[in-house]
Amino acid sequence: MKRLLFAGLLLPLAAAAQSSAVYTPELLWKLGRLGEMQVSPDRKTVAYTVTRYSLADNKGNTDIWTVPVAGGPARQLTTTPGSESTLNWRPDGKLTFLSSEGGSEQLYVMNADGSGKQLLSQFPETGVANLKYAPTGKFILYTQDVKTGKSVQDWFPDLPKADAKIIDDLNYRHWNQWDDLHVGHVFFQPVGDDGKPTGYGKDVMAGEKFDAPLQPFGGNEQLAFSPDGYQLAYTSRKLTGKAEAESTNSDIYLYDVRTGQTQNLSQGLGGYDTEPAFSPDGSKVAWLSMATPGFESDRNGIVVYDFKTKKRADITAGSEQAAANIRWSADGKTIYFVSVLEGTEQLFFIASKGGKIKQLTKGVHNYNAFELAGKDVAIANKTTQAQPADLVRIDLKTGRETPLTRINEQELAGVKTSRTEARWVKTTDGKQMQVYVIYPPDFDPSKKYPALLYCQGGPQSPITQAFSYRWNFQLLAANGYIVVAPNRRGLPGFGTEWNNSISGDWGGQPIRDYLSAIDAVSAEPYVDKARLGCVGASYGGYSVYLLAGKHEGRFKTFIAHCGLYNLTSWYPSTEEMFFAKQDIGAAPWETPQHKSYTEFNPQLFAKNWDTPILVIHGGKDFRVPEGQGMEAFGTAQLRGIPSRFLYFPNEGHWISKPQNSVLWNRVFFEWLSRTLRPEVPAAK
């Protein structure tokens, strides 16, 4: 086993000696969470948002801050009881934003120092989102919900109290929301000389039954103005019902303000096309593009469309790097982007005409998003597994960074962080796999510790240096566990073959990778092999259920959150059918049956279950419907296996509410304390 110690994640010895506190569930909800960031037109100031939560009130509030690009004290600009969002710097150096202060979305403007706050527009109760100013400041675009379907009361007005849904097609619910008979449309509106929107917003998608941006995760990164403001590009998947459920084919549409005409720039490209970005001179537009129809985790290439030649090209064709967060250089000759590489996220760049991709930054961190702030300067959102997001300045010539913010300096003062190590473990098919190992604070190799195998979801979501508020490795380690987190087969950052090979093979090599990882780490003398646990969510929860029937006595406890227990019943009850078809390989009624149902279905191996298991599920999880958790818990109960079901009726695939999250952690750690008997008490 090769090892690489990530020394950059360690506290200085003096600081470590003075530390007394550790990560707790409550501490995670005290931390300020960095959100948006926007660089001012003069490149001197960064505006950003920070959300802070009240555990007692069970909600959060978002405020606006600024910090100089050159470095200096951060300054809080808003302290309203409502939340601020959707930052836009105008050409005159003033900052606009949306505020929920009055109960509905209102557009305000203020000076760069927070003075001179003025109401520009109050939008209807239906509200707006994703508002953007044109670079000239003469136009705005935004999205707003438009009703496109009929409710039971529309069909039968004499039954005003009837409580039902009439469903004739698929995609009637998505992730955690039922179809509410509305879609998001893009609106365009002029702005007067006084900076206020004038007239009425024009729906550029009038009469259409499609969302823009893509729901539920798309935001204003999927919308863009041309430099002159007379064209706007937006992302939409113009399909409905079963066709929408079975396809990832979204496109980039160009709307011309002067003619009112719309053009599909990505016509013929079959996968996701998202996040348009115009070149500084407006002669080209670039976007992220996936080639494979139906494969939501395909490699994102960068496609550039030339308005003069009317030709487009994937300038990253042949590369193994997947792009995100693309940004044009000021001269239009270079495109910068973020990409996952071996458990980190780094900045890369490529000539806008195509060529060799070059890596700009290195180190044990994630640069999750960035904005350019001059010819050789970028401002990035940086995290590690031990440190939540802060802003840093990056020199684009050298790749060196300078910290700009310390959002949680006070909250994390004196808090111990755990040592993180990256190992390379040989898999059963002779390949090398990166495995993160996170040790408890004050780790003593002469002692023995219980260990947890962490099974990642996705199934193609990488384990990187992201700071997680759901599965926080620092919190797991702070409770006395060694955490083993493998970047097993299917996770990005290790080449296209490694990433794609999990499709149709959920219960094959990826599961063997998990066992290779835990076997390698548990061979260490400081790991108590009699106290191993296995935990995970989504595909990770599926992995837990499958391993519960195949682990051959390795584990003493299991915890599955929103896991897939029965692939046969899951397939027709999930919502994005393209995901099910691509990753499972076939429908359960097709003959001959795919091995996903005959070899990889956890339900088939429940006859071997003999180990305590905690099942967690959300009632609004439509990606993995609640019946999956209920089937698993019912199986354990009927077979007499010690088990518990933690059910959140109003949560979806993730636990999002502060008090629910703390409860989740308390039950989680109490279960581990009871079944693995660690040397430290469970989190309080």
Side-chain angles (χ1 to χ4, degrees):
M1 270 187 305
K2 294 187 291 182
R3 301 188 191 182
L4 174 65
L5 182 64
F6 285 169
L9 300 187
L10 299 179
L11 285 172
L13 290 178
Q18 297 172 2
S19 298
S20 57
V22 295
Y23 271 94
T24 65
E26 291 79 7
L27 174 60
L28 289 179
W29 288 98
K30 290 181 181 178
L31 299 179
R33 305 189 185 188
L34 175 64
E36 303 174 45
M37 61 171 169
Q38 287 283 322
V39 178
S40 62
D42 62 8
R43 309 302 190 190
K44 293 182 179 180
T45 306
V46 187
Y48 60 99
T49 61
V50 176
T51 302
R52 293 191 180 274
Y53 288 85
S54 165
L55 192 57
D57 295 336
N58 207 32
K59 64 181 182 179
N61 182 270
T62 304
D63 286 305
I64 301 172
W65 292 67
T66 59
V67 67
V69 169
R75 181 173 186 173
Q76 185 172 355
L77 302 190
T78 63
T79 56
T80 67
S83 286
E84 282 70 55
S85 66
T86 320
L87 307 180
N88 283 279
W89 287 99
R90 295 196 318 202
D92 61 6
K94 293 187 177 184
L95 185 66
T96 71
F97 58 94
L98 291 175
S99 177
S100 62
E101 180 180 358
S104 62
E105 295 294 346
Q106 301 174 77
L107 179 63
Y108 284 91
V109 65
M110 63 184 173
N111 297 321
D113 62 0
S115 65
K117 179 180 172 182
Q118 179 186 1
L119 177 66
L120 292 177
S121 181
Q122 185 164 345
F123 292 94
E125 291 183 4
T126 51
V128 301
N130 304 310
L131 187 144
K132 278 192 171 183
Y133 270 79
T136 59
K138 294 182 179 180
F139 311 102
I140 59 171
L141 64 78
Y142 55 87
T143 60
Q144 193 166 16
D145 283 349
V146 175
K147 188 175 181 180
T148 59
K150 289 186 176 183
S151 67
V152 167
Q153 281 68 41
D154 291 326
W155 288 108
F156 304 102
D158 62 324
L159 302 176
K161 295 184 179 180
D163 184 14
K165 296 179 184 294
I166 300 174
I167 299 167
D168 296 309
D169 209 341
L170 288 183
N171 232 41
Y172 52 87
R173 59 182 190 175
H174 198 201
W175 281 102
N176 63 353
Q177 292 185 336
W178 288 85
D179 178 11
D180 64 356
L181 308 177
H182 288 73
V183 294
H185 278 189
V186 180
F187 285 75
F188 162 84
Q189 193 168 359
V191 173
D193 293 337
D194 59 359
K196 294 183 178 181
T198 61
Y200 295 94
K202 180 180 180 180
D203 183 352
V204 307
M205 303 170 66
E208 299 184 5
K209 296 183 177 182
F210 319 114
D211 278 302
L214 304 181
Q215 295 300 310
F217 304 119
N220 64 11
E221 75 284 350
Q222 295 187 5
L223 311 166
F225 264 117
S226 62
D228 64 6
Y230 286 105
Q231 291 180 314
L232 58 91
Y234 65 90
T235 306
S236 182
R237 184 168 42 157
K238 297 197 174 183
L239 301 167
T240 60
K242 181 172 179 286
E244 182 183 9
E246 291 184 326
S247 176
T248 60
N249 186 20
S250 65
D251 285 297
I252 304 299
Y253 293 90
L254 183 75
Y255 176 81
D256 192 302
V257 170
R258 291 161 292 199
T259 66
Q261 298 299 306
T262 299
Q263 178 185 359
N264 184 351
L265 298 181
S266 58
Q267 181 72 40
L269 301 182
Y272 275 130
D273 292 283
T274 61
E275 301 189 24
F278 286 90
S279 62
D281 65 359
S283 66
K284 300 177 181 67
V285 63
W287 65 82
L288 299 176
S289 183
M290 293 185 181
T292 308
F295 186 19
E296 67 169 8
S297 297
D298 197 11
R299 183 189 72 89
N300 255 324
I302 301 176
V303 169
V304 175
Y305 180 88
D306 188 315
F307 288 106
K308 183 178 180 179
T309 65
K310 300 187 184 305
K311 293 182 178 180
R312 65 188 182 214
D314 181 349
I315 62 172
T316 60
S319 169
E320 298 249 317
Q321 292 301 130
N325 198 212
I326 55 177
R327 298 290 182 266
W328 290 83
S329 63
D331 61 9
K333 295 181 179 180
T334 305
I335 293 179
Y336 296 91
F337 61 94
V338 170
S339 185
V340 178
L341 180 65
E342 294 187 350
T344 66
E345 292 189 13
Q346 307 293 344
L347 294 187
F348 293 77
F349 66 96
I350 186 173
S352 58
K353 293 182 178 180
K356 184 179 180 181
I357 292 175
K358 297 181 181 180
Q359 184 176 349
L360 178 64
T361 62
K362 296 180 180 180
V364 187
H365 55 244
N366 273 17
Y367 292 135
N368 305 284
F370 72 101
E371 297 290 343
L372 298 180
K375 180 181 177 182
D376 299 314
V377 179
I379 307 299
N381 171 318
K382 178 190 176 183
T383 59
T384 70
Q385 290 178 7
Q387 296 291 326
D390 267 305
L391 293 179
V392 298
R393 185 179 69 248
I394 300 173
D395 186 319
L396 295 180
K397 288 184 176 180
T398 65
R400 294 176 182 171
E401 71 168 49
T402 303
L404 288 182
T405 65
R406 293 176 175 83
I407 294 171
N408 293 293
E409 184 174 34
Q410 180 177 345
E411 288 79 7
L412 294 177
V415 175
K416 296 178 182 178
T417 55
S418 299
R419 177 164 64 94
T420 297
E421 176 183 279
R423 302 186 179 199
W424 292 89
V425 171
K426 188 175 182 180
T427 62
T428 57
D429 59 348
K431 298 185 178 182
Q432 292 292 315
M433 172 176 58
Q434 186 197 59
V435 179
Y436 278 122
V437 183
I438 303 92
Y439 297 89
D442 302 321
F443 172 72
D444 182 349
S446 68
K447 297 181 179 179
K448 282 189 175 291
Y449 295 85
L452 300 176
L453 173 64
Y454 168 75
C455 300
Q456 175 75 330
Q460 293 101 349
S461 299
I463 299 177
T464 62
Q465 287 298 313
F467 184 88
S468 175
Y469 289 92
R470 292 193 290 267
W471 289 84
N472 187 280
F473 295 156
Q474 290 290 316
L475 177 57
L476 293 175
N479 277 268
Y481 302 98
I482 293 173
V483 183
V484 181
N487 262 307
R488 46 88 184 146
R489 218 62 51 101
L491 299 189
F494 303 90
T496 302
E497 180 184 356
W498 187 273
N499 181 70
N500 294 356
S501 63
I502 192 172
S503 296
D505 191 41
W506 275 24
Q509 190 60 49
I511 299 299
R512 293 190 287 274
D513 288 349
Y514 280 136
L515 296 178
S516 295
I518 192 64
D519 286 349
V521 177
S522 63
E524 298 287 358
Y526 46 76
V527 175
D528 188 344
K529 293 183 70 172
R531 293 190 292 165
L532 301 181
C534 180
V535 302
S538 195
Y539 172 82
Y542 159 88
S543 303
V544 169
Y545 290 144
L546 189 59
L547 285 168
K550 289 188 166 188
H551 68 111
E552 298 177 339
R554 285 177 174 84
F555 300 107
K556 295 300 182 290
T557 195
F558 292 97
I559 302 178
H561 175 101
C562 290
L564 299 87
Y565 169 76
N566 183 352
L567 297 182
T568 303
S569 62
W570 171 80
Y571 188 98
S573 62
T574 191
E575 15 79 286
E576 289 184 349
M577 298 311 303
F578 55 78
F579 169 75
K581 184 176 182 179
Q582 168 70 26
D583 266 78
I584 299 302
W589 50 83
E590 295 179 23
T591 55
Q593 270 203 318
H594 193 275
K595 62 182 179 180
S596 292
Y597 305 103
T598 59
E599 299 177 32
F600 301 155
N601 193 351
Q603 184 201 38
L604 298 179
F605 303 94
K607 60 186 177 183
N608 301 328
W609 282 17
D610 59 3
T611 306
I613 187 167
L614 169 63
V615 175
I616 309 174
H617 223 102
K620 291 185 176 180
D621 183 358
F622 304 146
R623 170 52 52 92
V624 183
E626 61 186 0
Q628 295 292 305
M630 292 175 178
E631 285 188 50
F633 175 65
T635 297
Q637 285 283 301
L638 292 171
R639 297 201 65 248
I641 295 168
S643 50
R644 171 174 283 180
F645 185 33
L646 176 59
Y647 177 68
F648 294 93
N650 294 308
E651 296 280 8
H653 202 56
W654 302 283
I655 304 301
S656 59
K657 299 177 181 63
Q659 291 192 17
N660 281 348
S661 173
V662 172
L663 173 64
W664 187 101
N665 278 287
R666 289 180 182 177
V667 173
F668 180 95
F669 286 113
E670 190 278 333
W671 180 264
L672 292 179
S673 179
R674 176 150 43 105
T675 54
L676 289 185
R677 298 184 299 280
E679 297 173 358
V680 297
K684 301 297 185 183

